[in-house]
Amino acid sequence: MNRRPWALGLVVAFVFVFLYAPIVWLALASFNSSRSLSKISGLSTQWYAELFGDTRVLESLQLTLQLALASAVISTVIGTLAAFGLRRAFPGRGLWTVLLSLPLVVPEVVMGVAMLGFFVKLAGIPLGFGALLFAHVAFSLSFVVVVVRSRVSGMDVRMEEAAADLGASPSTAFRTVTLPLVAPAVVAGAAFAFLLSFDDVVISSYLTGVGSTTLPVFVYAQASKRGISPEIVALSTLMVTATALLLISGVLIASWRARKAGSTAQLV
């Protein structure tokens, strides 16, 4: 590779083309004037107009956003508290760690069937938003715990001890010292929970009721029945654009914070 740098560049270019060429073609097809996805016959925004005029898509999107936000908030709060609880040594901590990690490896089909039987048959929760919320919190919680716990385990406990020596109460030390230190991990866990809930298809398809169809389930159902329509392609393009904008914003904020921290260190 040192003697042939062009080979490494060629491999990198191939990987990027392999990953992003379908997405670029998807974006171009969303502006196609015809319904064909294999040939661009002209440019038009008619599919975006039809998309924003489709009440079924808008209702599914609104439900999915509400579900993802609620699931992310609940999972983040419970998962952060669980991560701090697992920070201390106590009998059975290893068992609790294994139990919290099981949803990471259990197939979604198995989890979907299990949650359908538990929430609907045993708990008596009807199919719909309530069952979906419980299920999404259940499988998102593990990801939040793993992310936050990795940050908590590497945190220097002397920072909290120093705050206590300076007269800070436990709540004040947590608010002013501990929480700012773990805030990046908490935000990352919340983002994981939101995206997992927003993108879930398998588990949501088992628990969707009348009038509570999430957007991924709606898209999958439409694609399996009538094929991929131009409206779905336009919707996918908007979702990719929103994700890219969020990612770019996160990178810019992170770089701004790093520059700010570096300038503060130089002043000190």
Side-chain angles (χ1 to χ4, degrees):
M1 287 300 179
N2 293 331
R3 290 177 294 181
R4 300 178 181 178
W6 57 268
L8 181 59
L10 185 63
V11 173
V12 172
F14 173 77
V15 171
F16 275 99
V17 170
F18 180 77
L19 290 176
Y20 294 108
I23 299 177
V24 174
W25 179 256
L26 183 75
L28 292 175
S30 67
F31 293 98
N32 193 8
S33 58
S34 66
R35 300 187 66 89
S36 175
L37 300 180
S38 59
K39 182 179 180 181
I40 304 297
S41 58
L43 298 179
S44 175
T45 58
Q46 60 175 329
W47 308 123
Y48 288 91
E50 293 187 11
L51 173 65
F52 288 112
D54 193 339
T55 57
R56 297 178 303 169
V57 175
L58 298 180
E59 291 175 357
S60 298
L61 177 60
Q62 181 181 2
L63 174 68
T64 305
L65 290 174
Q66 292 175 351
L67 180 63
L69 286 173
S71 174
V73 171
I74 298 174
S75 300
T76 303
V77 173
I78 300 176
T80 302
L81 295 176
F84 276 99
L86 293 173
R87 181 187 183 187
R88 308 295 181 184
F90 60 90
R93 184 177 67 169
L95 177 61
W96 283 107
T97 303
V98 172
L99 291 177
L100 284 172
S101 302
L102 279 179
L104 301 177
V105 296
V106 174
E108 290 191 1
V109 175
V110 176
M111 290 190 64
V113 174
M115 290 179 180
L116 175 64
F118 179 80
F119 290 129
V120 178
K121 301 299 182 181
L122 296 180
I125 301 175
L127 294 175
F129 186 86
L132 287 170
L133 180 59
F134 276 103
H136 285 209
V137 170
F139 70 74
S140 300
L141 186 61
S142 299
F143 291 88
V144 178
V145 173
V146 170
V147 173
V148 178
R149 191 187 178 193
S150 63
R151 175 61 176 169
V152 170
S153 61
M155 191 173 59
D156 192 354
V157 296
R158 292 176 296 181
M159 302 290 290
E160 298 172 300
E161 294 174 353
D165 291 339
L166 293 173
S169 62
S171 59
T172 303
F174 179 81
R175 187 180 67 255
T176 59
V177 177
T178 307
L179 189 58
L181 290 175
V182 300
V186 174
V187 174
F192 265 114
F194 179 86
L195 293 176
L196 287 170
S197 176
F198 190 89
D199 293 338
D200 182 72
V201 176
V202 179
I203 297 177
S204 298
S205 62
Y206 285 96
L207 302 173
T208 296
V210 178
S212 60
T213 303
T214 61
L215 184 62
V217 175
F218 175 81
V219 171
Y220 180 78
Q222 294 297 315
S224 61
K225 292 180 181 179
R226 300 184 302 174
I228 303 176
S229 63
E231 294 87 352
I232 300 302
V233 174
L235 175 62
S236 302
T237 304
L238 291 177
M239 293 173 63
V240 171
T241 303
T243 304
L245 291 176
L246 289 175
L247 179 61
I248 294 173
S249 300
V251 172
L252 293 177
I253 293 174
S255 61
W256 173 77
R257 293 185 61 182
R259 289 196 302 268
K260 184 179 178 181
S263 61
T264 303
Q266 291 178 358
L267 292 176
V268 174

